[in-house]
Amino acid sequence: MMYMVAFMYPVSADSKFDYEHFTKTHLPMGLGLTKKHLGITPLKIIVFQPIVTGDGELAPYSAISNVMFATEQEAKKFCTLFTFEEAARRLSEGF
């Protein structure tokens, strides 16, 4: 069994989601900060960009990332990452 923490980035009318920045800059930085502050590493990260919903409407999210952990304890620990000032500041820049 794996435990997942999901991040959903809503579509915004006034800005475009930069998928390349997200995957090449934001995610590696988040992984480094997770290791530095929490001492854990996810098993897997899945990122996808929904286009439409099941009824053909535009999807409400620009991207969804699923961060997978081996234990519930690690997943819950990961949810505390933003309590570290450096992580909160750096991961919020540009979003």
Side-chain angles (χ1 to χ4, degrees):
M1 177 183 294
M2 285 192 280
Y3 295 85
M4 179 187 78
V5 177
F7 293 89
M8 295 177 270
Y9 301 89
V11 170
S12 173
D14 59 340
S15 66
K16 184 175 183 262
F17 188 84
D18 187 343
Y19 187 77
E20 185 171 336
H21 170 80
F22 180 71
T23 57
K24 293 186 177 183
T25 303
H26 188 78
L27 283 179
M29 179 174 45
L31 286 171
L33 291 166
T34 299
K35 184 70 170 170
K36 176 182 177 180
H37 292 293
L38 303 174
I40 58 175
T41 302
L43 292 175
K44 180 190 300 188
I45 299 175
I46 300 170
V47 180
F48 59 99
Q49 291 182 284
I51 298 171
V52 294
T53 63
D55 60 3
E57 297 292 319
L58 289 177
Y61 301 104
S62 297
I64 299 173
S65 62
N66 299 317
V67 186
M68 313 290 200
F69 294 93
T71 68
E72 183 178 3
Q73 180 183 354
E74 287 180 333
K76 287 180 176 181
K77 189 174 187 180
F78 178 69
C79 291
T80 70
L81 182 60
F82 276 74
T83 64
F84 296 89
E85 185 277 331
E86 177 191 20
R89 177 178 41 80
R90 292 184 65 201
L91 291 170
S92 297
E93 292 170 350
F95 275 92

